Amino acid sequence: MERLFRSTLRNANLRSIGRLALNGAGTFCGCALIWEHLITIQASAGPSMYPTFDVRGDWLLISRIHRNGKGIEVGDVVRFGHPNFQGVHVAKRVVGMPGDFVCQDKAFSTEVGIDQNMIQIPEGHVFLAGDNLPWSRDSRNYGPVPMGLINGKIVARVWPPSKMEWVRNPLQPVQLD
């Protein structure tokens, strides 16, 4: 090993060191671009999306192409910047798109539609809810979320390997006869 190291140092010149530095910088920039604009991986934490995601330990693949709500539909799980806590990223399911009417239930309730308090989602906003309603702090607490806070769509669970799968949209449009 020492021999290899000495040989490398002896044969190194300014040109090869420069080429290595340039290749390293190019690789770093390429990875940073992919991480910021195409995909990100983040761990899940908290009970609000249980049973879709485990309380802790699931690593999620996030498509950054869907930033600012591009291509988002009702039923998709999105990652967004929490409106009340700066620097915190949260995952919730889209329940209502701009112009939709949704029933705004009481926060942390298990009943859906009991109060019959319907609101219309304003333009440029979405209504988000966790899959575990009694343990979710979501749009029932802080109202519709601006689409500008959405910074990705969760497309897959990548860890643990035994639970690796694509995140599917269970909400389908009603088929009228």
Side-chain angles (χ1 to χ4, degrees):
M1 182 71 173
E2 181 182 344
R3 219 170 173 190
L4 178 65
F5 185 68
R6 286 182 187 273
S7 166
T8 304
L9 283 178
R10 196 176 309 118
N11 294 332
N13 58 25
L14 193 57
R15 178 180 236 169
S16 63
I17 293 171
R19 186 175 302 141
L20 181 64
L22 192 59
N23 286 341
T27 302
F28 174 79
C29 289
C31 290
L33 282 172
I34 289 170
W35 191 260
E36 279 297 315
H37 298 288
L38 294 179
I39 59 170
T40 300
I41 297 175
Q42 180 180 342
S44 67
S48 69
M49 287 302 291
Y50 184 80
T52 306
F53 305 126
D54 200 356
V55 175
R56 63 177 190 262
D58 285 348
W59 285 84
L60 309 171
L61 180 69
I62 301 159
S63 168
R64 304 279 288 190
I65 297 170
H66 296 87
R67 178 179 292 158
N68 298 324
K70 294 177 190 156
I72 299 296
E73 299 175 354
V74 170
D76 289 340
V77 180
V78 296
R79 181 181 97 155
F80 64 99
H82 197 287
N84 295 339
F85 304 112
Q86 188 174 359
V88 176
H89 296 286
V90 186
K92 301 286 184 225
R93 191 172 301 278
V94 177
V95 177
M97 295 295 290
D100 289 352
F101 286 91
V102 296
C103 187
Q104 186 173 21
D105 300 312
K106 291 180 181 169
F108 306 114
S109 66
T110 56
E111 291 86 20
V112 177
I114 297 297
D115 290 343
Q116 298 180 353
N117 180 24
M118 298 294 287
I119 62 167
Q120 185 175 17
I121 309 302
E123 285 301 314
H125 290 70
V126 290
F127 198 84
L128 304 170
D131 290 351
N132 190 1
L133 289 176
W135 289 95
S136 180
R137 187 179 302 148
D138 48 36
S139 288
R140 297 173 300 160
N141 298 81
Y142 42 76
V145 175
M147 292 177 97
L149 291 179
I150 295 174
N151 52 33
K153 174 182 169 181
I154 299 175
V155 294
R157 178 184 314 157
V158 294
W159 191 264
S162 61
K163 292 183 176 180
M164 194 178 294
E165 65 182 349
W166 296 107
V167 174
R168 61 181 188 81
N169 182 346
L171 304 177
Q172 300 301 320
V174 175
Q175 299 296 325
L176 299 176
D177 294 333

